Amino acid sequence: MSQQAFSPAVAVARRDAGAPLWLLLTAGAPVLLVALPLAYVATRGAQAGPAVAVAEIFRPRTGELLVNTLLLAISVTALSTLIGVATAWCVERAALPGRRGWRVVCVLPLAVPAFVASFAWASLGPAFQTMGGAILILTLSHYPLVHLPVAAALRGMDPAFEDVARSLGRGGWRAFFEATLPQAAPALGAGALLVLTHMFAEFGALALLRVQTFTTAIFDSYQLEFDGETAALQSAVLLALALPAALLEMRLRRGLRFARSGKGAARRRPPVPLGRATWPALAGFSLLAALALGAPLMMLTYWLAVGSSAGRAIADLWPALGGSLGLALPGALVVTALGAPLALLATRHRGPFASFADKLPYVVHGLPGLVVALALVFFAIRFAPQAYQTAGLLFAAYAALFLPLAQSALRGSLELVPPRFEEVGRSLGRSGLGAFAWIVAPNILPGVGGALALLTLEIVRELTATLMLAPIGVRTLATEVWSHANEGRYAAAAPFAALLVAISAVPVYVFTRRADDLQDDP
């Protein structure tokens, strides 16, 4: 074998060469799948005609939904940003008593799905079934999406910039706003935009809280009024809101960089003493924990303990768990398999199609599950009616919604496998597909395992697409929570909600403790 086969120049040249046909075909399938929601909105809008579309978009009802959607999204994003930045700074930079434990507590609200938290709060009474209640509850559920990236940024950045600011006479607050916050801005922006896209897509929590936004109106138009045209046009308005936020969030998230002066590990800064603010800070953290975790868990415990109808629901608990796992496990395999060619194409080849195929799933990931489900129903009825209300159609929805999770996990592992390994395989007579199967695939098993675990958890918690597309007779934990709580049968919903929280809490706790241990290692 010639030395030239291993040279960096040859490896780069081969990466720049055109992708093999098998890879283009396997990557094309998920690309077409995730493009369906955009094609659906365009097709239905064209079918309605300009006059009907303009009348629907500009009617007073649409204006009310737009105001509600924007009010909710902007308010929750602003409050989540404020809380996320404050908690991240306190646990990473301040001498907060017990901050190792508070690091975990700040992230644990992620273990309580938003619709479960909403069910718990709604069961307290109608006072929380308002726009103000929705803003409060969804903020408590989503502020960790800002806290996590900002905390990571604060851990990774070099405090030398703050030292320079202080040497120039800047006080603590000015040094924070002029030196620290600008370095954390990409992480802060990505987290805030992630919250914003979640608010545009939120359905289950808002339905339980009786707050009308585009997502609940789309569901009502399709499921209750059987008006697919109105649902499609409302989806178009929601897409116009969600797409820019999803694109910007993707760009910021992919461009996260934390500045550091010099080489090696970042120099650690001694924690900032809080002084007189210590007790107010502890009171604030305690109140946050009580509202974000204590109240939902307390209500779940109450309904489990004293609910008169809980016993009847327990008999359905194991079939629902079986339904959740029966969809989540094969669904995770399908999504991972579809994400593999996209990750391989992005890491091994360059070009317009490779870039487009890599980015499109991230765009659709920020869209509401309702739009994805409506698109699949529309095309299935017209072109593949035998697929309607089958598990295969639901797996397609999971792929459209969660492909980026598989791509991210697989891409990280693929980037650790040098392209020259495939060169060796091909030089030994393997085809491109054979080299991938026998050489690359075994080396990316950790990434595959991570993708499967993450996707299984996400699919178990998924509500909207499952609610609309699940085969007749299939029930899951998420759909059982929604169906019982939506009818005011809170005790019946409690066992399903408690099991969902238990399933979600384990990986969230393990992740936060692992991150905490890495932070405290000398």
Side-chain angles (χ1 to χ4, degrees):
M1 190 182 305
S2 68
Q3 184 68 24
Q4 183 183 14
F6 293 97
S7 70
V10 172
V12 171
R14 289 186 179 274
R15 284 190 67 186
D16 288 337
L21 180 61
W22 69 268
L23 184 56
L24 293 174
L25 291 176
T26 53
V31 168
L32 291 175
L33 176 62
V34 297
L36 288 180
L38 306 179
Y40 162 73
V41 172
T43 301
R44 292 293 280 163
Q47 289 177 348
V52 174
V54 170
E56 175 62 34
I57 291 173
F58 289 98
R59 68 171 180 152
R61 173 61 174 164
T62 303
E64 293 174 6
L65 295 173
L66 179 62
V67 170
N68 285 352
T69 302
L70 289 176
L71 175 62
L72 178 82
I74 294 172
S75 299
V76 173
T77 301
L79 290 173
S80 296
T81 299
L82 181 63
I83 296 172
V85 172
T87 54
W89 186 85
C90 285
V91 300
E92 298 300 336
R93 289 298 182 89
L96 181 71
R99 63 176 184 160
R100 183 184 177 104
W102 288 119
R103 284 189 189 127
V104 178
V105 172
C106 285
V107 183
L108 279 179
L110 289 177
V112 185
F115 64 90
V116 172
S118 297
F119 137 68
W121 282 94
S123 69
L124 287 170
F128 295 100
Q129 296 177 330
T130 62
M131 176 61 75
I135 291 172
L136 169 67
I137 295 163
L138 290 174
T139 297
L140 294 172
S141 295
H142 288 83
Y143 81 85
L145 297 179
V146 178
H147 171 94
L148 281 171
V150 173
L154 291 173
R155 285 196 299 268
M157 69 177 61
D158 196 318
F161 294 96
E162 292 179 60
D163 294 339
V164 172
R166 289 179 178 275
S167 70
L168 295 175
R170 305 294 194 267
W173 284 107
R174 290 191 64 184
F176 173 78
F177 283 107
E178 295 181 12
T180 304
L181 195 58
Q183 293 182 80
L188 172 59
L193 285 168
L194 186 58
V195 174
L196 187 66
T197 57
H198 275 233
M199 290 305 99
F200 288 143
E202 185 58 57
F203 164 72
L206 299 176
L208 295 175
L209 295 172
R210 314 304 184 203
V211 173
Q212 285 287 302
T213 63
F214 275 115
T215 52
T216 58
I218 292 168
F219 183 84
D220 291 343
S221 296
Y222 183 78
Q223 291 284 82
L224 303 181
E225 301 173 14
F226 304 102
D227 188 353
E229 186 175 275
T230 297
L233 293 174
Q234 290 170 339
S235 299
V237 180
L238 189 56
L239 279 175
L241 295 175
L243 272 176
L247 287 168
L248 186 55
E249 186 268 331
M250 179 185 70
R251 182 174 181 180
L252 283 175
R253 177 164 34 81
R254 290 197 155 198
L256 290 183
R257 295 292 185 272
F258 307 126
R260 176 177 299 169
S261 59
K263 299 180 180 180
R267 177 172 57 86
R268 293 186 180 180
R269 184 185 185 90
V272 177
L274 290 176
R276 294 181 179 179
T278 299
W279 288 109
L282 287 174
F285 272 84
S286 299
L287 178 62
L288 182 64
L291 293 175
L293 289 172
L297 296 181
M298 179 187 69
M299 291 310 301
L300 281 179
T301 303
Y302 170 80
W303 288 114
L304 283 171
V306 303
S308 60
S309 61
R312 292 194 297 272
I314 291 176
D316 298 327
L317 186 63
W318 302 118
L321 177 61
S324 291
L325 296 178
L327 292 175
L329 296 176
L333 287 170
V334 169
V335 179
T336 302
L338 290 173
L342 297 178
L344 185 62
L345 187 66
T347 55
R348 294 295 190 264
H349 302 278
R350 301 188 183 102
F353 179 73
S355 178
F356 175 76
D358 182 46
K359 293 177 181 177
L360 183 63
Y362 287 89
V363 175
V364 178
H365 180 65
L367 303 183
L370 277 172
V371 178
V372 173
L374 286 174
L376 291 174
V377 169
F378 177 80
F379 287 108
I381 290 176
R382 282 157 181 78
F383 302 107
Q386 67 277 8
Y388 182 60
Q389 287 195 321
T390 65
L393 192 65
L394 186 53
F395 294 156
Y398 292 153
L401 291 170
F402 300 129
L403 263 177
L405 302 181
Q407 288 175 261
S408 298
L410 294 173
R411 184 168 184 164
S413 292
L414 280 167
E415 287 174 343
L416 299 177
V417 181
R420 65 176 59 186
F421 284 12
E422 296 161 80
E423 297 287 343
V424 172
R426 282 193 289 268
S427 71
L428 296 175
R430 300 281 185 188
S431 64
L433 180 59
F436 172 79
W438 290 98
I439 298 175
V440 178
N443 285 282
I444 63 171
L445 288 180
V448 173
L452 290 174
L454 182 58
L455 288 166
T456 299
L457 176 62
E458 287 294 322
I459 294 173
V460 164
R461 294 157 52 109
E462 202 282 328
L463 172 64
T464 310
T466 307
L467 197 63
M468 295 187 65
L469 299 176
I472 295 175
V474 174
R475 297 175 298 173
T476 68
L477 294 173
T479 59
E480 289 294 284
V481 171
W482 188 88
S483 62
H484 289 301
N486 194 47
E487 297 175 2
R489 293 184 282 122
Y490 300 118
F496 304 100
L499 188 53
L500 260 182
V501 171
I503 292 173
S504 303
V506 175
V508 171
Y509 176 79
V510 171
F511 167 77
T512 53
R513 292 298 298 180
R514 181 180 179 187
D516 190 38
D517 291 340
L518 290 175
Q519 164 67 9
D520 291 337
D521 282 344

